[in-house]
């Protein structure tokens, strides 16, 4: 049973950690759980990202996300990256909510093309946008890089691909690259910054980075203070203090 | 085969501000009232209770307190020759649902219109001549005056515990308030809230520019308060979760906090939630309403007969119901005839963000929806249209309803959207930036209107409402002029960077970006039944036992947030029903 700790997903996470610039971690000390060794540490703090096994995404998708999420919000001298804050867990869990099926969007046809000012006019719910997008970007990479998947490219190549998606220059078979990118980036940001109860932002790491007091929601005594930074760390929905 | 309920004196469609006001007033008058609300029941406890309510993912991504577009939405197009497409994802405007409606997730900016805002057409004609109004601009005077509504503005402010400072009291100008406002009969219910840094800096900048800054009238209580109905409110603690959220603190005025406590359990009042009204039923000659048909919580078609039907849905859906029910004649933009759907207008909102270094503690996570500082120096008659080049006016303000990172962090120009550069950008901006907004009026036009969509249907099989709207030159000029003035007010503060978004020549209405939920018009009030859907008492010209209070009644939109005006018009309407209509049911104004 102890093999559980060596599930493929866990290996992927650990593998993804290799991309993290460990040297930078040592110099700043901003973030914990940075190196592969720490991530694998059984005594790591509660909510360590490697405890999660994806239920929505398959292995190919998970591999893609491990790489892409790390490019979008990398670990660096400014603060924690999306991977160590559990954004992958957020994504996998969020894709299983009614929201990701498009339950608050108007999803009736006919579906026609319209100028960008009119917003999304497609048939896919959020989770299908992500899923179809991953498959297509991987397909594009395979065709351009001798069969390699996105995750198998080097960091620079991955960034170029993502830029191509963001600017809409990259043409995919089944979906607008820009649409996919926008939705993926939104979701990664949501996972990075939303309350830890949703799976990401472990230890309120993203809130600490920007100085957000989280769910404190009571500032009357600080409204007129001008000369010093807000002094108290964040609190989350579960009442944990950061 | 539908279920038929016992007849009541009045049925109210929608339980937001207008529905709650009408229910209170009509039950006060002894009427039996049933209110049908399409969404769930909501109250401060448990629905807006801390900490659950401040979950940004649920509130601002899953849009827990807003209308689900999967059930009802609109289609939108820029001009009448285009094919409209559905508003599939919430963007430019955010209708609410449930008890409290948009009145539970609003911010709390609580203005009165200016006296000149009531007579826009005659005022422009008088000041600049008839020819100054461009062809196709269909602005009209309100059929009521500021003086007519003053007691109702006042009463609504006291119901809401509005916090502010009078500028003109019984005809006398007094320091600290808006010197350009219509005269008030008494001070605000509560004094202004404290100023966060951005509001304080706005004061400084405005004074340097020679303007007259004043506190935004805020329905966010600045202290403990008991309203005329005995409802208690507590001081706003700047929690930062106003817009999109219900108030956790009994501080932001809402139907839930300020009116519902006296309605719940009241004899003669019944609230049915998850009751989706499909149409108003009319007699064969379409001159009287007999009640409404709705789907109950189990989806059963149900008829509620009533002597009086009050449409209190969100402005867009009041118009939708009138069109679906065959009340009045749908507007035809080609011949400029018909009234239902006529004169749809919006709000001209633009933002300028200011970025400072780390010594400036703007702390955008602290927030109060309606608080802040504004100026009227470019609004109403202070705007000289011959110089500015546009009709109307607008406000520039510093307002900080509260920002959290899921709701988005504006970054300085040049910051990328992801990667290390983005992280650096959000880290630098989050606690050290704030914004001004320019909120401009929006005139009405022959080619901006509401109608039924020929193709798309809602979840109940009814045609969606179709919005035909685009920016006109007048509003683009206003945007450019006002944003330039706002930018001047930014520069005197010496920020590190400024990012503004004035509309460019030829810019089209973009539904993907949140701008404002101030959708106005479509069933407007007026003095001529040929050019208005409602008379001066918000009564349908065509079906005299139907009243439709709401922002749908505005012939065009002024520079202010509409809620103060909507509340005042609703009390005005209720007074007419109580004092005139009930004694002698029928048209209150002869066509």
């Amino acid at each position: 049973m102890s093999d559980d700790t060596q599930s493929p997903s866990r290996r992927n996470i650990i593998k993804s950690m290799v991309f993290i610039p460990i040297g930078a971690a040592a110099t700043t000390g901003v973030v914990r759980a940075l190196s592969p060794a720490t991530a694998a540490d059984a005594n790591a703090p509660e909510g360590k990202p490697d405890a999660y096994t994806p239920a929505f995404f398959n292995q190919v998708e998970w591999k893609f996300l491990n790489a892409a999420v790390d490019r979008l919000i990398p670990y660096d001298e400014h603060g924690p990256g999306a991977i160590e804050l559990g954004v992958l867990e957020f994504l996998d869990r969020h894709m299983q909510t009614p929201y990701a099926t498009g339950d608050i969007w108007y999803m009736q046809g006919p579906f026609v093309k319209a100028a960008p000012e009119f917003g999304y006019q497609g048939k896919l719910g959020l989770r299908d946008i992500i899923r179809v997008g991953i498959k297509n970007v991987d397909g594009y990479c395979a065709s351009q890089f001798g069969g390699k998947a996105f995750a198998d490219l080097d960091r620079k190549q991955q960034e170029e691909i993502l830029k191509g998606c963001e600017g809409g220059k990259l043409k995919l078979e089944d979906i607008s690259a820009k649409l996919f990118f926008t939705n993926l980036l939104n979701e990664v940001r949501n996972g990075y910054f939303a309350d830890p109860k949703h799976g990401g932002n472990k230890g309120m790491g993203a809130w600490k980075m920007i100085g957000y007091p989280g769910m404190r929601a009571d500032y009357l005594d600080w409204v007129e203070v001008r000369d010093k930074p807000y002094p108290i760390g964040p609190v989350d929905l579960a009442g944990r203090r950061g | 085969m539908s279920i038929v309920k016992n007849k009541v004196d009045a049925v109210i469609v929608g339980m937001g501000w207008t529905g709650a006001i009408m229910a209170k007033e009509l039950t006060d008058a002894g009427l039996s009232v049933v209110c049908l609300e399409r969404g769930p029941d909501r109250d401060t406890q448990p629905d807006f209770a801390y900490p659950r309510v401040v979950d940004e993912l649920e509130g601002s991504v899953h849009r827990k307190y807003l209308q689900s577009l999967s059930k009802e939405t609109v289609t939108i197009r820029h001009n009448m020759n285009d094919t409209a497409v559905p508003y599939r994802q919430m963007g430019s405007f955010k209708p609410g649902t449930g008890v409290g409606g948009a009145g539970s997730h609003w911010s709390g900016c609580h203005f009165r219109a200016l006296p000149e805002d009531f007579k826009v057409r005659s005022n422009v004609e008088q000041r600049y001549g008839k020819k100054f109004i461009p062809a196709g601009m269909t602005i009209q005077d309100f059929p009521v005056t500021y003086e007519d509504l003053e007691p109702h503005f006042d009463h609504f402010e006291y119901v809401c515990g509005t916090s502010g400072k009078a500028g003109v009291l019984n005809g006398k100008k007094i320091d600290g308030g808006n010197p350009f406002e219509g005269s008030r009969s008494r001070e605000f219910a509560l004094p202004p809230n404290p100023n966060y840094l951005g509001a304080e800096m706005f004061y400084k900048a405005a004074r340097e520019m020679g303007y007259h800054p004043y506190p935004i009238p805020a329905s966010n209580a600045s202290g403990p308060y008991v309203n005329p109905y005995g409802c208690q409110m507590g001081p706003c603690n700047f929690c930062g979760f106003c817009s999109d959220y219900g108030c956790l603190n009994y501080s932001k005025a809402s139907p839930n906090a300020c009116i519902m406590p006296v309605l719940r359990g009241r004899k003669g009042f019944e609230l049915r939630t998850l009751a989706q009204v499909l149409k108003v039923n009319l007699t064969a000659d379409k001159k009287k309403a007999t009640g409404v048909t709705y789907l109950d919580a189990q989806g059963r078609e149900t008829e509620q007969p009533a002597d009086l039907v009050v449409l209190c849905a969100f402005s867009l859906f009041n118009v939708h119901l009138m069109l679906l029910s065959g009340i009045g004649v749908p507007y035809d933009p080609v011949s400029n005839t018909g009234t239902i759907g006529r004169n749809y207008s919006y709000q001209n909102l633009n933002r300028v963000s200011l970025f400072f270094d780390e010594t400036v503690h703007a702390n955008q996570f602290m927030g109060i929806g309606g608080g802040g500082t504004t100026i009227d120096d470019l609004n109403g008659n202070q705007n000289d249209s011959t110089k500015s080049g546009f009709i109307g006016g607008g406000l520039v303000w510093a307002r900080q309803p509260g920002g959290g990172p899921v709701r988005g962090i504006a970054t300085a120009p040049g910051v990328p959207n992801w990667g290390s550069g983005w992280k650096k950008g959000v880290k630098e901006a989050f606690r050290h930036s704030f914004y001004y907004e320019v909120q401009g009026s929006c005139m009405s036009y022959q080619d901006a209107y509401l109608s039924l969509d020929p193709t798309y249907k809602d979840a109940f099989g009814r045609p969606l409402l179709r919005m035909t709207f685009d920016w006109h030159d007048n509003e683009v000029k206003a945007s450019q002029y006002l944003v330039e003035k706002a930018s001047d007010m930014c520069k005197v503060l010496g920020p590190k960077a400024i990012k503004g978004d004035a509309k460019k020549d030829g810019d089209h209405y973009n539904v993907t970006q949140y701008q404002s939920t101030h959708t106005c018009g479509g069933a407007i009030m007026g003095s001529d039944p040929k050019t208005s859907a409602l008379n001066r008492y918000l009564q349908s010209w065509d079906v005299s036992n139907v009243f439709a209070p709401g922002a749908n009644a505005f012939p065009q939109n002024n520079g202010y947030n509409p809620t103060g005006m909507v509340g005042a018009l609703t009390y005005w309407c209720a007074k007419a029903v109580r004092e005139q209509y009930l004694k002698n049911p029928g048209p209150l104004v002869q066509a």
Side-chain angles (χ1 to χ4, degrees):
Chain A
M1 295 301 134
S2 62
D3 283 355
D4 286 353
T5 56
Q6 286 301 315
S7 68
S9 62
R10 177 192 165 98
R11 281 198 299 275
N12 275 333
I13 297 258
I14 292 169
K15 193 175 155 201
S16 78
M17 301 306 242
V18 176
F19 292 115
I20 293 168
I22 296 159
T27 55
T28 64
V30 176
V31 183
R32 54 180 187 236
L34 295 170
S35 68
T38 313
D41 184 358
N43 298 319
E46 191 185 16
K48 61 188 191 295
D50 55 341
Y52 189 77
T53 303
F56 176 78
F57 290 112
N58 66 33
Q59 289 312 308
V60 175
E61 294 159 345
W62 200 239
K63 191 175 148 192
F64 174 95
L65 288 169
N66 264 283
V69 165
D70 196 38
R71 294 295 80 76
L72 294 174
I73 308 184
Y75 166 80
D76 59 22
E77 70 272 25
H78 306 296
I83 295 287
E84 68 261 28
L85 292 195
V87 169
L88 290 172
E89 176 180 338
F90 169 87
L91 292 175
D92 190 68
R93 281 171 49 186
H94 203 215
M95 290 308 119
Q96 297 173 67
T97 63
Y99 172 77
T101 66
D103 81 322
I104 63 166
W105 300 352
Y106 182 79
M107 298 296 277
Q108 292 189 46
F111 296 89
V112 296
K113 280 200 166 153
E117 291 92 346
F118 294 100
Y120 181 53
Q121 294 296 330
K123 289 179 185 176
L124 304 179
L126 172 64
R127 66 193 207 182
D128 292 322
I129 291 174
I130 300 294
R131 208 161 225 177
V132 172
I134 292 173
K135 187 160 189 275
N136 275 261
V137 173
D138 263 346
Y140 175 85
C141 293
S143 72
Q144 298 294 310
F145 299 97
K148 281 186 180 174
F150 175 83
D152 298 328
L153 304 180
D154 68 36
R155 196 182 173 113
K156 192 119 191 103
Q157 289 170 320
Q158 289 173 351
E159 283 174 355
E160 286 307 313
I161 295 286
L162 292 173
K163 277 181 199 160
C165 292
E166 181 182 30
K169 281 183 192 155
L170 204 142
K171 301 290 172 219
L172 301 177
E173 195 108 325
D174 307 315
I175 194 168
S176 147
K178 196 171 181 172
L179 175 77
F180 164 61
F181 180 86
T182 306
N183 281 276
L184 177 64
L185 178 61
N186 272 344
E187 283 302 294
V188 170
R189 285 182 180 181
N190 286 343
Y192 192 65
F193 282 132
D195 190 89
K197 94 173 200 188
H198 300 291
N201 195 13
K202 302 278 186 206
M204 296 173 262
W207 292 351
K208 288 180 199 163
M209 179 184 83
I210 59 168
Y212 181 50
M215 305 296 106
R216 200 160 287 283
D218 183 5
Y219 305 109
L220 186 55
D221 56 355
W222 204 263
V223 174
E224 294 177 305
V225 176
R226 300 286 180 257
D227 57 348
K228 41 185 184 262
Y230 186 77
I232 314 175
V235 60
D236 70 7
L237 286 171
R240 285 177 295 236
R241 316 293 169 92
Chain B
M1 276 298 143
S2 59
I3 300 163
V4 180
K5 295 283 191 178
N6 292 331
K7 188 174 174 182
V8 291
D9 294 328
V11 62
I12 293 175
V13 181
M15 195 79 261
W17 272 124
T18 57
I21 290 169
M22 290 304 287
K24 169 74 170 62
E25 290 285 317
L26 296 183
T27 49
D28 279 350
L31 268 57
S32 58
V33 173
V34 161
C35 185
L36 303 170
E37 165 54 48
R38 67 181 175 180
D41 197 0
R42 287 194 176 125
D43 206 348
T44 309
Q45 167 64 24
D47 305 282
F48 308 145
Y50 181 86
R52 178 87 192 256
V53 71
V54 298
D55 185 332
E56 278 193 291
L57 191 75
E58 288 189 349
S60 297
V61 177
H62 299 171
R63 310 244 186 246
K64 189 175 171 182
Y65 307 103
L66 306 185
Q67 165 190 332
S68 172
L69 299 182
S70 68
K71 289 189 177 156
E72 281 180 280
T73 185
V74 299
T75 62
I76 304 177
R77 58 182 181 170
H78 286 144
N79 71 66
M80 61 176 102
N81 299 318
D82 294 343
T83 300
V85 292
Y87 181 59
R88 294 184 182 275
Q89 297 175 333
M90 203 69 91
S92 149
F93 53 91
K94 302 175 182 173
T97 194
V99 169
S104 62
H105 79 259
W106 73 316
S107 293
C109 295
H110 192 141
F111 291 94
R112 298 178 174 196
L114 293 167
E116 59 264 38
D117 289 335
F118 288 83
K119 37 191 180 188
V120 171
R121 175 168 281 274
S122 55
N123 189 41
V124 172
E125 288 180 356
Q126 199 185 327
R127 294 178 86 199
Y128 313 113
K130 283 193 177 184
K131 286 182 180 164
F132 197 83
I133 299 173
M137 188 188 277
T138 52
I139 51 178
Q140 295 183 22
D141 289 1
F142 277 80
V144 289
T145 64
Y146 176 82
E147 290 71 27
D148 288 330
L149 290 195
E150 202 288 332
H152 307 294
F153 279 128
D154 174 85
H155 181 61
F156 187 43
E157 286 158 5
Y158 271 71
V159 167
C160 291
T162 309
S163 305
K165 177 72 194 143
V168 184
L169 201 53
N170 294 313
K172 283 190 186 140
K173 285 192 183 182
I174 53 172
D175 281 347
N178 176 15
F180 307 111
E181 70 182 3
S183 181
R184 293 171 180 273
S185 53
R186 55 177 168 165
E187 252 299 355
F188 278 92
L190 288 167
N193 282 279
N195 277 322
Y196 64 92
L197 179 76
E200 189 177 278
M201 290 176 83
F202 184 93
Y203 259 104
K204 183 170 172 276
R207 291 219 174 92
E208 268 185 49
M209 304 293 294
Y211 296 142
H212 301 78
Y214 67 94
I216 298 174
S219 278
N220 313 87
S222 62
Y225 182 71
V226 179
N227 80 4
Y229 303 155
C231 299
Q232 298 169 353
M233 299 179 76
C236 172
N237 70 353
F238 285 71
C239 81
F241 290 89
C242 260
S243 315
D244 286 356
Y245 299 84
C247 181
L248 57 88
N249 211 35
Y250 300 94
S251 302
K252 179 174 72 178
S254 64
N256 317 70
C258 302
I259 303 180
M260 290 310 294
V262 287
L263 280 176
R264 291 183 192 277
R266 178 176 264 206
K267 199 165 170 270
F269 172 74
E270 188 190 343
L271 167 66
R272 293 182 204 140
T273 54
L274 304 174
Q276 174 75 42
V277 174
L278 299 176
K279 62 173 179 162
V280 179
N281 300 316
L282 304 180
T283 54
D285 63 3
K286 295 193 170 185
K287 287 192 171 159
K288 284 279 177 189
T290 57
V292 301
T293 295
Y294 69 99
L295 297 177
D296 73 4
Q298 296 180 60
R300 297 176 300 191
E301 193 167 291
T302 308
E303 195 188 325
Q304 177 58 64
D307 287 330
L308 187 60
V309 175
V310 191
L311 302 181
C312 293
F314 187 71
S315 63
L316 293 170
F317 301 107
N318 266 359
V319 180
H320 191 215
L321 276 172
M322 292 175 86
L323 288 168
L324 289 168
S325 309
I327 296 173
V329 178
Y331 176 63
D332 173 3
V334 177
S335 60
N336 198 24
T337 58
T339 56
I340 313 300
R342 185 186 189 94
N343 278 30
Y344 171 74
S345 66
Y346 191 38
Q347 190 102 62
N348 191 358
L349 204 94
N350 309 268
R351 184 177 284 202
V352 186
S353 296
L354 298 84
F355 301 90
F356 292 88
D357 67 30
E358 60 184 21
T359 62
V360 175
H361 303 290
N363 293 337
Q364 63 173 270
F365 51 83
M366 301 193 280
I368 173 169
T373 314
T374 188
I375 52 164
D376 259 41
D377 296 84
L378 307 168
N379 197 23
N381 280 346
Q382 287 69 252
N383 174 35
D384 181 344
S385 299
T386 57
K387 286 185 184 155
S388 69
F390 73 95
I391 291 169
L395 311 173
V396 183
W397 65 30
R399 201 167 69 81
Q400 188 164 303
V406 173
R407 285 170 277 179
I409 302 172
T411 49
V415 171
N417 290 318
W418 49 282
S420 283
W422 172 77
K423 284 176 71 184
K424 181 169 183 280
V426 293
K427 200 174 164 180
E428 286 173 355
F430 185 63
R431 302 224 289 199
H432 311 294
S433 65
F434 57 88
Y435 57 84
Y436 295 167
E437 273 170 335
V438 161
Q439 182 172 270
S441 57
C442 179
M443 298 301 105
S444 45
Y445 298 90
Q446 190 171 337
D447 60 0
Y449 67 104
L450 304 173
S451 54
L452 292 178
D453 192 273
T455 308
Y456 293 96
K457 303 268 195 292
D458 65 18
F460 316 103
R462 306 175 303 172
L464 291 184
L465 187 70
R466 178 175 64 182
M467 178 189 291
T468 304
F469 179 79
D470 204 357
W471 298 116
H472 290 72
D473 289 346
N474 186 71
E475 278 61 43
V476 172
K477 268 186 206 163
S479 163
Q480 294 170 353
Y481 178 82
L482 295 168
V483 167
E484 192 187 324
K485 298 284 182 193
S487 300
D488 292 342
M489 287 180 66
C490 294
K491 285 174 196 155
V492 300
L493 297 174
K496 222 167 52 165
I498 299 174
K499 192 152 105 180
D501 72 342
K503 293 177 178 70
K504 293 186 270 306
D505 292 344
D507 267 5
H508 292 291
Y509 173 44
N510 184 338
V511 313
T512 67
Q513 294 158 349
Y514 182 70
Q515 291 152 71
S516 166
T517 305
H518 309 162
T519 55
C520 297
I524 66 170
M525 62 193 302
S527 45
D528 182 350
K530 289 200 185 72
T531 54
S532 56
L534 311 173
N535 66 24
R536 69 191 305 253
Y537 301 109
L538 293 306
Q539 179 183 37
S540 163
W541 287 110
D542 303 282
V543 183
S544 63
N545 62 339
V546 170
F547 289 75
N552 52 271
F554 296 10
Q556 58 280 321
N557 195 13
N558 58 50
Y560 295 120
N561 306 57
T563 302
M565 181 78 164
V566 166
L569 282 174
T570 308
Y571 279 109
W572 161 261
C573 167
K575 182 177 167 17
V577 172
R578 289 177 66 171
E579 295 181 0
Q580 300 179 56
Y581 180 86
L582 293 179
K583 285 176 194 152
N584 186 17
L588 296 176
V589 179
Q590 289 309 316

